[in-house]
Amino acid sequence: MKKSTIKTIGFALLSMTVLAACGNDDAATEGSDKGDKKDFTLGMVTDLGSVNDKSFNQSAWEGLQKLEKDKGFEVKYLEPKADSEVEPSLLQFVNSKTDLTWATSSTLADAVTTIAGNNPDAKLGIVDAEVEGIENVVSVSFKENEGAFLAGVVAASMTETDKIGFVGGMEIPVIQRFHAGFEAGVKAVNPDAQVVVNYVGVFNRVDMGKSAASTMYNDGVDIIFHAAGGTGNGVFNEAQERFDNGEKVWVIGVDKDQSLEFGDDITLTSMMKNVDNAVYEISEKTADGNFPGGEVVRLGLAEDGVGLATTSDKNVPKDILDLVEDYKAKIISGDVTVPEKP
């Protein structure tokens, strides 16, 4: 096998219609049938969270759904409920000769590596991990630390208590990049601010996210940034309850513009991670015969892979957004280096 090629490529942001993710508990969920046999098939295996997590998995699924709409591709997903179901889920797509099978979590990297090695004719893609040296795997990773830095600038500029929270899912490299970038952004603007951190250990426990947020808000935190997938929905639930009781607290969303789901009353801004665009474009390239196997695609601010939601101006004053743009330019130019580890 040839040595992996590591590239950073720019994806033009697509004007994407937000589609509701399919919430079906069947083993495999199929896109709508247009009556014609599909020429290209795509499968997606999530982490142990739901495809409707209103975050990372959902963004990837929306990218595939858009391919179904735009290109007529056949798209399906599987949701493993336990670690033991991950490899069988991937194999289900591989054995059915799916043209490209996506795994949407770094926690699936070992399974992807094993299956790709045993099935050299299969094409696989993984998001948030770098599986190098395997010609039939394309890896997509994001510079979450760069986008999270900008979220930290907003939080540090708008906190009234100088206590800011970070709720992470599992303490793995991708979530550590969120944590490190966010804390660096906070400290760059407000060195006196305290960042309170809680890694809850899972991505699919709304109750644990709510509990973590409750503890932080009770301790004087007024803004929480979460990078916890479906667990982060609990952070929003806690913030909404407090807002309904007359308490003003904020949440910074992740991966998608979460104000569209949870509203502007509690969503200060969201750190966007354009998983949908990356999955869309690589899948389209593969369908055109240009599968970038063996490559690692890394997307940061310069490549429009990460950033803040365009709806940020609803709650964030212009002078703070101008400051965000200043830091964004410095990060892209290399004048500011954002750490990847806390």
Side-chain angles (χ1 to χ4, degrees):
M1 290 180 289
K2 68 180 182 181
K3 186 178 179 181
S4 168
T5 302
I6 299 179
K7 302 200 315 185
T8 299
I9 63 176
F11 283 99
L13 287 178
L14 301 169
S15 176
M16 297 190 66
T17 302
V18 176
L19 301 173
C22 179
N24 192 316
D25 293 330
D26 293 339
T29 301
E30 185 172 341
S32 60
D33 187 358
K34 294 180 169 54
D36 297 322
K37 183 178 179 180
K38 308 297 190 295
D39 293 326
F40 194 79
T41 56
L42 293 161
M44 186 184 98
V45 177
T46 70
D47 60 12
L48 301 187
S50 168
V51 75
N52 294 317
D53 63 357
K54 306 181 189 345
S55 184
F56 185 85
N57 289 322
Q58 185 168 329
S59 180
W61 179 238
E62 287 173 358
L64 296 188
Q65 284 183 302
K66 190 168 191 296
L67 282 165
E68 179 190 43
K69 179 182 177 182
D70 293 350
K71 306 292 183 179
F73 295 166
E74 181 181 344
V75 299
K76 298 180 181 181
Y77 70 80
L78 290 168
E79 295 176 321
K81 301 303 181 185
D83 290 334
S84 61
E85 297 178 9
V86 169
E87 283 198 28
S89 297
L90 290 165
L91 276 172
Q92 183 169 328
F93 286 128
V94 168
N95 291 338
S96 64
K97 306 301 180 184
T98 300
D99 291 301
L100 176 60
T101 299
W102 284 99
T104 60
S105 173
S106 61
T107 57
L108 277 60
D110 288 344
V112 167
T113 300
T114 298
I115 290 171
N118 293 335
N119 300 273
D121 293 332
K123 293 182 175 67
L124 297 102
I126 187 165
V127 181
D128 274 353
E130 298 186 1
V131 177
E132 299 184 38
I134 302 179
E135 294 183 10
N136 58 331
V137 178
V138 58
S139 304
V140 181
S141 67
F142 292 83
K143 300 175 185 178
E144 294 89 355
N145 51 316
E146 293 185 353
F149 185 100
L150 303 184
V153 170
V154 171
S157 301
M158 296 194 66
T159 180
E160 297 181 359
T161 64
D162 278 352
K163 293 188 74 174
I164 298 165
F166 174 80
V167 174
M170 299 175 68
E171 196 167 357
I172 54 179
V174 58
I175 306 302
Q176 290 179 321
R177 289 197 292 271
F178 280 109
H179 173 188
F182 182 65
E183 190 159 21
V186 169
K187 295 299 184 180
V189 173
N190 187 349
D192 295 328
Q194 178 185 359
V195 179
V196 180
V197 178
N198 186 345
Y199 283 94
V200 295
V202 291
F203 291 104
N204 60 351
R205 288 287 300 274
V206 174
D207 59 327
M208 292 179 69
K210 190 175 187 302
S211 176
S214 177
T215 299
M216 287 184 179
Y217 289 138
N218 286 341
D219 288 344
V221 167
D222 60 348
I223 300 171
I224 296 175
F225 176 43
H226 90 87
T231 298
N233 295 345
V235 178
F236 281 100
N237 293 347
E238 180 65 23
Q240 186 63 56
E241 286 186 11
R242 290 174 182 258
F243 178 82
D244 292 342
N245 290 324
E247 183 180 352
K248 189 60 178 177
V249 294
W250 291 111
V251 184
I252 297 177
V254 75
D255 296 334
K256 292 168 55 65
D257 183 351
Q258 294 197 294
S259 70
L260 302 178
E261 177 70 27
F262 296 103
D264 298 317
D265 291 334
I266 57 173
T267 311
L268 179 58
T269 183
S270 293
M271 198 223 90
M272 303 290 287
K273 183 169 162 179
N274 296 313
V275 179
D276 48 0
N277 295 346
V279 167
Y280 185 106
E281 293 203 15
I282 290 175
S283 298
E284 187 177 35
K285 284 186 175 185
T286 303
D288 291 338
N290 299 310
F291 175 63
E295 295 180 5
V296 176
V297 178
R298 292 179 176 145
L299 305 172
L301 288 174
E303 298 79 29
D304 289 323
V306 296
L308 296 187
T310 58
T311 56
S312 298
D313 58 358
K314 292 182 178 179
N315 287 318
V316 183
K318 184 179 183 304
D319 61 325
I320 296 176
L321 291 178
D322 288 343
L323 181 62
V324 166
E325 288 301 313
D326 288 344
Y327 273 108
K328 178 180 178 180
K330 290 176 181 177
I331 292 169
I332 292 174
S333 70
D335 290 339
V336 170
T337 302
V338 185
E340 296 187 15
K341 293 182 179 180

